Amino acid sequence: MTSQPAAMARILSLALTAFIMMIAAVSFPFLTLDAGGLHNATSVIDAVLAFNDGYALPLAVAVAFFIVVIPLIRLGALIYALDPLVREQKPRSGAHKAFGLAERLRPWSMAEIFIVGVTVALIKVAGMAAVTIGPAFWAFSGVVVITVLKDQLICRYSIWEALDRAAR
């Protein structure tokens, strides 16, 4: 294990990029379906709200948390913890807790599972309807790729050490 001076800056830039792309993924249309003269455009929020009736409400909450809220919290906590370190400043109060939260939420961030499920569904539906992929699909796909790259670059031990060293 060797120290790479620019590694934290790369991790921070990837986390910022993923955070911005996640906001775009939630804001723009995800996909459009045209079948038999019917036209339907949907977003990630529409997918969550599709389950908001009666007994499916807990499913709506779970979908919202696992594919939107938890990834955003995780990215925000990582940005909060790493930003001062990249600028060679003293860590913010709670930086240790923020990084620990980001690490604890890692297994619960399910954006990758969502995008795989949507892709499989699109392949199945493509023969029955005209499917147009919207900008949110590409933004969400980008979030998944960037998150995987970020998680491969991150050396948790080095970050804990840097947080401890800078706090002294």
Side-chain angles (χ1 to χ4, degrees):
M1 192 174 350
T2 60
S3 178
Q4 297 180 1
M8 264 194 246
R10 279 188 233 126
I11 293 165
L12 179 62
S13 64
L14 289 171
L16 283 166
T17 303
F19 191 90
I20 292 166
M21 289 180 79
M22 180 61 93
I23 300 298
V26 173
S27 303
F28 294 111
F30 196 80
L31 59 89
T32 305
L33 291 171
D34 290 307
L38 297 173
H39 176 80
N40 188 15
T42 190
S43 68
V44 173
I45 298 300
D46 293 333
V48 170
L49 293 177
F51 300 110
N52 72 347
D53 292 333
Y55 293 115
L57 185 60
L59 182 60
V61 171
V63 169
F65 268 89
F66 289 130
I67 66 171
V68 178
V69 175
I70 289 175
L72 281 173
I73 290 172
R74 184 171 176 242
L75 290 166
L78 192 60
I79 292 165
Y80 180 84
L82 293 184
D83 180 54
L85 296 178
V86 169
R87 292 185 288 127
E88 297 180 1
Q89 295 176 350
K90 187 175 180 179
R92 292 184 178 106
S93 65
H96 281 84
K97 288 181 182 179
F99 186 67
L101 175 65
E103 286 300 295
R104 283 190 306 279
L105 290 178
R106 189 164 42 112
W108 299 103
S109 182
M110 303 278 179
E112 306 87 22
I113 307 302
F114 175 71
I115 206 69
V116 169
V118 166
T119 304
V120 169
L122 287 175
I123 291 168
K124 299 275 186 184
V125 170
M128 297 180 272
V131 178
T132 305
I133 296 172
F137 177 86
W138 298 113
F140 216 92
S141 298
V143 167
V144 169
V145 170
I146 290 168
T147 300
V148 169
L149 286 172
K150 177 188 60 63
D151 287 345
Q152 292 301 311
L153 282 176
I154 213 165
C155 174
R156 285 142 190 90
Y157 176 78
S158 296
I159 292 173
W160 285 118
E161 283 293 313
L163 285 169
D164 288 340
R165 197 173 40 250
R168 290 184 217 146

